[in-house]
Amino acid sequence: MDINWKWDMFFEAFPYILQGLGVTVGLTFACFLFALVFGFVWVFLRRIKFKPVNWLVTWIMEFIRSTPPLIQLFFIYYAWPMVPGIGVSLSSFEAAILGLGIHFSTYIGEVYRSGIEGVDKGQWEASTALNFSTRQKWTKIILPQAIPPTIPMLGNYLIIMFKEVPLASTIGVVGILALAETYGTDNFRMLEAYTIVALIFLVLSYPSAILINKLEKKMNRRFDKKAALQDSKGAVV
Amino acid sequence: MTESIKENSSSISKTNSDPIVEYKNVHKSFGDVEVLKGLDLDIYPGEKVALIGPSGSGKTTIIRMLMTLEQPTSGEIIVDGKNLWHMEKNGKLVPASEHHLREVRGDIGMVFQHFNLFPHMTILQNCMTAPIHVKKEGKETARKRSIEMLEKVGLGDKLDNYPSQLSGGQKQRVAMARALVMRPKIMLFDEVTSALDPELVGEVLEVIRDIAKEGEMAMVLVTHEMDFALEVADRVIFLDDGVIAEQGAPSEVLEESDNERLQQFLYRFRS
Amino acid sequence: MINAIIEVFPVLMKGINITITVFILSTIFSYLFAFIAGLCRVSNNKLVRAGTSVYVEIFRGTSLIVQLFWLYYAIPMLFDVGIDNRLMAGVLAISLNYGAYMSEIVRGSILAVDKGQTEASIALNLSRAQRMRIVIFPQALRMMLPEFGNYLIQILKATSLVSLIGMTDILYHGNILRSTNLSAAPTVYLLLLVFYFIMALPLIFLTRKGEQISKRGVAS
């Protein structure tokens, strides 16, 4: 066993690799935003009652979800420009947003769906009884109730996406992983370089996970309290 | 009053004067709340004891400590001459090991308010598991005895059903068979009819009545069924605020006592 | 198009052995690590619990791709292995990573079994080990099934990463093909995606089956 480790190189590499953090974090939020918006598209597509469409949408989502995001990235970055007629050439950053964004939008869509299904049926009936338009039903009644309980779950996906973003280095996005690779190969210090990347991820994602866990508990309590309140009211009637 | 208790106890224990369970100055707290404030209680072989009292009075805690589901904060519990929560090691008393607990609690069985049947096993498997794994009985013996016991509680035709396919009353009868197969010397019943629909209470009480008639097993029942306590128990104990407030023969306690708290408690049940 | 497929397909298939080998080995070890770590996290021993949660938090807190590269460079220093250290790094990274995630499911399921079950097994005088083996674990296992199925698909997806450390899996061969003939790229990556999807299909159905069993499971 021969552990080849140099602390001075470790400290030299740290600031160099850290320069990539802006890109990594920026890409994370860009992908997340894309997935948040696109998630709604899936929700509404899945609500189409026409059977063949519904079936098609379900399986497209399943396809995107159960195939590797890495290959999806390659497809969008390398293959898409080659497709005759509709092909568009994208920068690696754009391709990463699109690729990871679409991949995770299928998960986010499911989160939304669970939130919407969690809204009491009576709310639909009540909003129909009050003669709201379909649009108003969604924006004023259903979504304001459906989305808040899903916030912790969405937060979890933000952290998961943060950890998937380094995949984008394979198509040339220069975040912390790509810089570590550069530094590592230039100086033959791979282990130090990757340890730094791992540390950065740990330091950022672990506290975030704890924070979200706390938020989840807090929200659970809040919604339980609400439910209990309704129960007690129900008992009086 | 004290006189009459002693008299009563001795009349029960005339065949065997050594108690099978002794609580000696037992205290139990949950956080800041002291549930039991120095309990002294002897239970004799074959004796049927009913514990009554308002909720929070500590009656369930008494039997849960005996089953080793809760640990006393202080005091001793002696089972058949053996200290339950402590053991001797190099001449000193130390907290009981898992091994010691298993040795002592082997004589004790318990039936729970919410049945706690094993949902992934059939009725028969529920009964056979402990004889096989704890008593190391052969499969055939365990099977035969389990079937006998299930027939005794009137469920001989449900052997291969799963708990989810039974009514509450049937589940509770299985739970009793499961405990009885282990041939305990002491059986604990923790509000065994409280979770049942009213029309199912009768069948469960019927089984307990039958077990009680056989006589050799000591039974401790935490119950809200006053009429049943009157009928089955040798002794009724009224717990209030962490202490024994009244005890004696059922008719004395339930009909003749002038303890004010007991009167209030009973009034709520009789009204 | 058909011509392109006929041309590309056999090239990709050269990597199929590697992809499937990595998937099967990773699955086995992921489950192994998940059960060991999950049981350790409900152990009575504080030290065991603490040690295991350090493992779990490190692997959940960092990225799989980073773990993969790290192990790829660390393994030759840590072990003087004669065997293919790329295979070892690939399988180990995927299994340690998903083992950590799945151990949380093992732990959660064990803790989710009704307390009354433990109490009833104490009342029947079962030993600690018997309680876990006969009563708690079989019930917990049923609760784990749907999530375990989902992670099977995640593991399958993760196998594509091993091409990044130079393992010659299907993606590796696809990338080579693309670098020599860029116009083949759409066929290459589409075929790869379809291939992964076909492999995922049985896992998707398995997961649904697991959900049914789990739902049927455990109400007392």
Side-chain angles (χ1 to χ4, degrees), chain A residues 5-24:
Chain A
W5 177 275
K6 289 211 170 103
W7 279 110
D8 55 331
M9 299 302 262
F10 179 84
F11 289 114
E12 190 192 285
F14 214 111
Y16 178 77
I17 292 171
L18 213 52
Q19 291 170 39
L21 190 59
V23 171
T24 302

Side-chain angles (χ1 to χ4, degrees), chain A residues 1-2 62-63 65-68 71 74 78-79 82 103 107 163 166-167 190-191 194-195 198 201 205-206, chain C residues 57 60-63 70 73-74 77-78 101 154 157 160-161 171 178 182 186 189 193 196-197 204 208:
Chain A
M1 198 164 102
D2 170 30
E62 199 69 82
F63 185 90
R65 232 183 328 177
S66 49
T67 52
I71 302 180
F74 286 160
Y78 293 115
M82 296 288 136
H103 187 84
Y107 290 91
K163 286 178 282 185
L167 284 181
M190 286 310 202
L191 206 57
Y194 288 126
T195 305
F201 272 103
S205 75
Y206 184 60
Chain C
E57 294 308 341
R60 293 198 324 156
T62 55
S63 175
W70 194 90
Y73 289 104
M77 289 187 207
L78 297 174
Y101 279 100
Q154 299 295 333
K157 279 156 57 175
S160 65
L161 293 179
L171 179 56
R178 181 256 306 157
L182 197 54
Y189 292 119
L193 288 172
Y196 265 102
F197 186 61
I204 292 169
R208 289 186 184 168

Side-chain angles (χ1 to χ4, degrees), chain C:
Chain C
M1 186 71 187
I2 300 286
N3 279 341
I5 291 175
I6 290 170
E7 191 187 323
V8 170
F9 187 78
V11 179
L12 298 183
M13 283 306 110
K14 285 195 280 186
I16 189 115
N17 278 340
I18 300 270
T19 298
I20 289 176
T21 308
V22 171
F23 174 60
I24 290 174
L25 288 178
S26 301
T27 302
I28 294 170
F29 283 104
S30 297
Y31 280 48
L32 194 70
F33 293 149
F35 281 119
I36 294 172
L39 287 171
C40 284
R41 292 206 68 181
V42 295
S43 149
N44 280 321
N45 188 322
K46 252 191 186 150
L47 226 70
V48 171
R49 277 206 312 266
T52 323
S53 58
V54 169
Y55 152 64
V56 171
E57 294 308 341
I58 284 179
F59 277 86
R60 293 198 324 156
T62 55
S63 175
L64 173 57
I65 186 172
V66 179
Q67 291 155 23
L68 179 72
F69 286 142
W70 194 90
L71 282 171
Y72 177 56
Y73 289 104
I75 282 175
M77 289 187 207
L78 297 174
F79 313 96
D80 221 351
V81 277
I83 61 163
D84 186 350
N85 64 29
R86 283 176 305 184
L87 179 66
M88 188 162 163
V91 169
L92 215 53
I94 296 172
S95 327
L96 285 171
N97 183 70
Y98 285 105
Y101 279 100
M102 292 197 295
S103 76
E104 286 290 281
I105 293 163
V106 174
R107 182 179 78 116
S109 304
I110 288 172
L111 294 179
V113 173
D114 181 37
K115 257 190 121 96
Q117 295 292 309
T118 305
E119 296 191 346
S121 7
I122 291 175
L124 291 170
N125 211 8
L126 294 169
S127 73
R128 214 186 283 267
Q130 286 171 336
R131 260 144 45 198
M132 179 56 79
R133 181 168 57 85
I134 301 167
V135 178
I136 307 300
F137 196 75
Q139 295 182 55
L141 197 60
R142 259 162 251 226
M143 292 188 233
M144 297 172 205
L145 287 178
E147 287 287 346
F148 266 35
N150 279 327
Y151 273 109
L152 221 49
I153 298 167
Q154 299 295 333
I155 292 170
L156 175 66
K157 279 156 57 175
T159 57
S160 65
L161 293 179
V162 298
S163 64
L164 301 176
I165 55 169
M167 289 191 77
T168 52
D169 72 334
I170 52 173
L171 179 56
Y172 180 90
H173 286 288
N175 281 338
I176 299 259
L177 200 63
R178 181 256 306 157
S179 62
T180 53
N181 176 10
L182 197 54
S183 65
T187 321
V188 167
Y189 292 119
L190 211 57
L191 266 181
L192 283 171
L193 288 172
V194 168
F195 173 78
Y196 265 102
F197 186 61
I198 289 170
M199 266 190 79
L201 275 177
L203 308 181
I204 292 169
F205 287 115
L206 214 66
T207 306
R208 289 186 184 168
K209 188 94 191 155
E211 266 159 23
Q212 283 166 9
I213 294 174
S214 193
K215 263 185 207 149
R216 198 153 15 97
V218 242
S220 66

Side-chain angles (χ1 to χ4, degrees), chain B residues 33-46:
Chain B
V33 186
E34 192 171 33
V35 181
L36 288 174
K37 301 169 178 170
L39 173 77
D40 286 297
L41 170 64
D42 291 349
I43 297 163
Y44 291 87

Side-chain angles (χ1 to χ4, degrees), chain B residues 63-100:
Chain B
I63 59 173
R64 284 175 60 83
M65 287 190 304
L66 185 54
M67 194 66 263
T68 72
L69 301 175
E70 311 280 2
Q71 191 164 3
T73 312
S74 69
E76 303 294 345
I77 301 174
I78 314 290
V79 180
D80 215 359
K82 287 167 280 188
N83 194 321
L84 179 62
W85 282 102
H86 290 92
M87 59 182 189
E88 221 167 292
K89 201 176 176 185
N90 307 328
K92 270 191 286 185
L93 271 188
V94 296
S97 65
E98 170 81 5
H99 179 78
H100 176 85

